[in-house]
Amino acid sequence: MLRKEMLLLLTGLTLAISTTAQRIHTKFDADWKFKQGHAADPSRDFNYGIRNIFSKSGDASGTCIMPDYDDSNWETVQLPHDWAVGLPFQYIKDNDLDGHGYKAIGGLFPENSIGWYRKTFDVNKADSGHRYVVRLDGVYRDSKVWINGYYLGGNFSGYTSTSYDITDFIRFNKKNVLTVRADATQNEGWFYEGAGIYRHVWLDILNNVHIANEGGVFVRTAVKGNTAIVNVATAVVNKHIHTANATVYTVITDRSGQILAQSKEQPLSMAVNEEKTVTQELKISKPELWSPESPYLYRAIAIIKADGQIIDSEKVRFGVRTITIDKNKGLFVNGIPVKVKGVCCHQDHAGMGCALPNHLQYYRISLLKEMGANAYRTSHNPPTPELLDACDSLGMLVMDEPRLLNSGTEYENQFRQLILRDRNHPSIFIWSIGNEEFATQYTNIGTRIAQRQVLLQQQLDPDRTSTYAANQGNHFTGVNEVIPVRGFNYNLHGIDGYHRDHPSQPVIGTEVASTVTTRSIYIKDTVKGYVPDYDSTYPSWASTAEQWWKLASDREWFMGGFAWTGFDYRGEPTPYSWPNINSHFGIMDMCGFPKNVYYYYQSWWSGKDVLHIAPHWNWQGKDGQPVLVWVNTNADNVELFLNGKSLGKKDMPRNGHLRWTVNYAPGMLEAVAYKGSKKITAQVSTTGNASRIILTPSKTTLLHDGDDAVVVNVSVADEQGREVPDAGNNIRFVLDGDASIIGVGNGDPSSHEPDKCAPGAWQRNLFGGKAQVIIRAGRGQGKVSLKASGEGLQAAVLSL
């Protein structure tokens, strides 16, 4: 290969379009037009349902599907976009509405449950002769897609990616319009799911001979001594109208782009519409192994040439690592035992709903890593690809999971697409085939479905295994008879008996704990729907963090597990319903602000020196009254002092916590701990009133790409600079520069404040002294300035 060609390939530069051009992979997120339809009134749904739009190809006259429809009065939006998060909260006694967080969407609200999107773009006539493929990474839900009035197809799932070849319908030197109808009337889950095109859309321009769109490059690795064996299978398809000849080869580089290995060019000849797979073996000497502690990523570049020129290529990031699951000793990564310190998570975030900018994926995984978590379960649906990219890059093991357990054509294809899309990610160490299928998991039907899905997984990804999240106690019937790794959802009291009776089946906690807590609240409040921020309250079927982790830590054969959940999420409020609109299960709240239980996990998972006191020490009017004090630490012992007077010294039990009952007096509560000879201290103090605002960004530089984002956390301090932990001030935000505020939140599970505000009216009340604002970059260069102000407070200005 010519060095010039390789440099172009490695630096991501795009060759000029020609008959031998490489693919152009373009994010198709900007400048969509959006309008609500109506699920029950066709006249308010652009005549969908009363116009016979499927009788003649390309004839959808009288609807917004046609390219000449005037959409100038539609809202301009940028993807990802979730229209449900901007809807009002509405209380109706309905289990589905409760589970989805009381957003006014679904079958009860037909006026809010349909969304139409239109994207206009141009294609030069000089670029004819290529293939044009649109990929939608996620549309919630039941999407239908047209191009220039021609129906392309639909996707029943709200979570799986789907691609459409639009080549035959392109209009050259004339506007093209891609139209998407999303119908969120019918729910898939029992949690907040959003609505709309809430993940990225891509346009690929390809040669007629190209790498297959779905799972076209599959990288497998094995380690033998000081050498990594890398097998790269490249599926090539011929969409020419004649037989095509080409060669295929693979290049391996390190993360800096240095070439480490290159295969020979392998010739192949393909008939019209034929697909062939070429498998090539390469070697890396002394490889850097991927692990949660050292997530090193290589690049495999599959390349197709014809007539001596590159006509297509695809670059895949991969890691070299070995995963072993032993029935007696648990999980091993690269031969080293690893206890799974995991969390289950849904995909929404405060202010964003489900439409998260890429930076939010990295931000959330970073918060979990800081806590000490090493594993993430994508409960209970296929994740966005960028979440897996973040886990690859930051070092987070992943249990990847489809929406539900079903081997019918629709759902089996969803599972197939999930594996083909995600199997190159080194972070994935195991697949889950489903979760808590009450009607099926005990039955013979469940056995047969599970067997088929396990065999499909092993066929498509033979280097990994699978589990199933079963809330069946120690039952061995149904799905559990055939699943390779037994997954326990709660019911851990029976785990020893199950392991004794079924010693050949490895065991993992697929869903554990489920403590319910409200950040910064330390008394039960049934009116507001708050529960104390201690690791003490949990549903009857669950346990505390401490209970499950002690059990997992003490059993070598128990692989560890996934706590429910890493973050609070919209919907499924527990133990209360309205006015609650989100769960209390999170180790962090919906903004990612830590609760008290966060420091329990950090003490025993992270290896950091941890010493944390709860609660805060602002208890005006409670002088002399008892306050329950918890201390989380991994130190050997702790002595607690109130205003310099010792309240006693206690030894810290392994995987436990300490507590004191302290009669309240204003001042300072201090903990002094020793870890060996190392002294560690922590304090909480009675503060004055809030006097100034503090803005803390997740980063200080934004890429001017129209997609990058920054999370800005908001707090207030008193005149001595101490953060005020119980402040509830209203904070207003004004942004200058080429960027936009796209969401606000505060972690309050009973807040009915809007996540989206009108232009110029962005605001949020602090909850427990905190709030959050999320900013998305524009495309212009220069400074972006965020000003936060509040009555009686010194304003803060943040420059990005």
Side-chain angles (χ1 to χ4, degrees), residues 549-564:
W549 180 244
K550 281 183 174 179
L551 186 150
S553 180
D554 291 345
R555 289 158 175 77
E556 187 179 31
W557 50 266
F558 188 16
M559 290 166 59
F562 295 87
W564 188 265

Side-chain angles (χ1 to χ4, degrees), residues 3-18:
R3 180 162 179 79
K4 180 180 178 182
E5 292 175 327
M6 178 55 69
L7 287 173
L8 286 169
L9 190 61
L10 296 180
T11 58
L13 297 179
T14 303
L15 295 173
I17 289 292
S18 69

Side-chain angles (χ1 to χ4, degrees), residues 460-518:
L460 298 176
D461 187 17
D463 297 331
R464 293 185 180 92
T465 189
S466 57
T467 186
Y468 167 73
N471 58 334
Q472 294 176 262
N474 60 0
H475 288 274
F476 187 65
T477 56
V479 176
N480 292 333
E481 296 179 53
V482 295
I483 198 69
V485 176
R486 170 63 205 273
F488 268 79
N489 279 18
Y490 314 106
N491 298 292
L492 297 183
H493 56 273
I495 199 169
D496 289 323
Y498 188 91
H499 178 63
R500 181 195 64 231
D501 296 340
H502 309 285
S504 63
Q505 196 176 38
V507 174
I508 189 170
T510 38
E511 192 170 315
V512 292
S514 282
T515 303
V516 285
T517 59
T518 308

Side-chain angles (χ1 to χ4, degrees), residues 291-592:
S291 70
E293 297 76 27
S294 180
Y296 191 92
L297 295 171
Y298 292 92
R299 276 72 172 161
I301 308 167
I303 303 164
I304 307 175
K305 291 178 75 173
D307 299 324
Q309 297 190 52
I310 298 173
I311 59 172
D312 194 18
S313 66
E314 185 168 345
K315 180 164 60 178
V316 173
R317 300 194 312 170
F318 72 95
V320 176
R321 52 99 180 109
T322 60
I323 297 291
T324 305
I325 295 176
D326 185 272
K327 64 183 184 297
N328 296 315
K329 296 187 177 181
L331 174 69
F332 291 79
V333 179
N334 303 322
I336 299 172
V338 174
K339 188 70 77 172
V340 175
K341 303 169 183 176
V343 293
C344 302
C345 289
H346 285 306
Q347 62 179 353
D348 60 310
H349 188 89
M352 298 288 91
C354 293
L356 273 62
N358 294 353
H359 176 67
L360 263 291
Q361 307 294 350
Y362 288 83
Y363 179 73
R364 286 162 61 92
I365 296 300
S366 294
L367 294 177
L368 294 170
K369 289 281 291 184
E370 180 70 18
M371 183 182 75
N374 63 8
Y376 185 106
R377 177 182 171 212
T378 67
S379 45
H380 305 288
N381 49 262
T384 186
E386 291 72 30
L387 181 277
L388 298 178
D389 290 341
C391 292
D392 290 344
S393 297
L394 299 177
M396 182 71 74
L397 296 167
V398 174
M399 177 183 288
D400 207 350
E401 183 169 281
R403 174 65 286 282
L404 51 73
L405 177 70
N406 191 317
S407 58
T409 300
E410 172 70 38
Y411 287 104
E412 182 170 286
N413 188 56
Q414 288 184 23
F415 192 38
R416 178 187 301 275
Q417 295 303 315
L418 175 67
I419 295 173
L420 290 176
R421 188 196 70 174
D422 292 353
R423 61 188 179 179
N424 288 324
H425 289 279
S427 55
I428 297 173
F429 78 105
I430 195 169
W431 301 96
S432 166
I433 66 170
N435 174 76
E436 294 186 358
E437 295 285 353
F438 308 120
T440 303
Q441 60 188 10
Y442 292 96
T443 67
N444 290 330
I445 291 175
T447 305
R448 296 196 298 270
I449 293 173
Q451 183 69 79
R452 180 165 174 144
Q453 297 300 77
V454 168
L455 291 174
L456 176 64
Q457 178 265 303
Q458 293 173 347
Q459 172 196 349
L460 298 176
D461 187 17
D463 297 331
R464 293 185 180 92
T465 189
S466 57
T467 186
Y468 167 73
N471 58 334
Q472 294 176 262
N474 60 0
H475 288 274
F476 187 65
T477 56
V479 176
N480 292 333
E481 296 179 53
V482 295
I483 198 69
V485 176
R486 170 63 205 273
F488 268 79
N489 279 18
Y490 314 106
N491 298 292
L492 297 183
H493 56 273
I495 199 169
D496 289 323
Y498 188 91
H499 178 63
R500 181 195 64 231
D501 296 340
H502 309 285
S504 63
Q505 196 176 38
V507 174
I508 189 170
T510 38
E511 192 170 315
V512 292
S514 282
T515 303
V516 285
T517 59
T518 308
R519 178 183 61 79
S520 79
I521 301 296
Y522 292 94
I523 58 171
K524 183 178 180 180
D525 188 334
T526 58
V527 175
K528 293 183 178 178
Y530 297 151
V531 285
D533 195 7
Y534 302 108
D535 182 27
S536 58
T537 308
Y538 56 93
S540 60
W541 37 263
S543 68
T544 66
E546 189 169 323
Q547 287 168 348
W548 93 264
W549 180 244
K550 281 183 174 179
L551 186 150
S553 180
D554 291 345
R555 289 158 175 77
E556 187 179 31
W557 50 266
F558 188 16
M559 290 166 59
F562 295 87
W564 188 265
T565 52
F567 302 87
D568 280 345
Y569 54 93
R570 183 65 50 78
E572 205 172 25
T574 306
Y576 308 113
S577 55
W578 186 266
N580 281 178
I581 46 79
N582 67 250
S583 80
H584 289 83
F585 291 118
I587 300 168
M588 291 174 273
D589 68 16
M590 285 197 67
C591 294

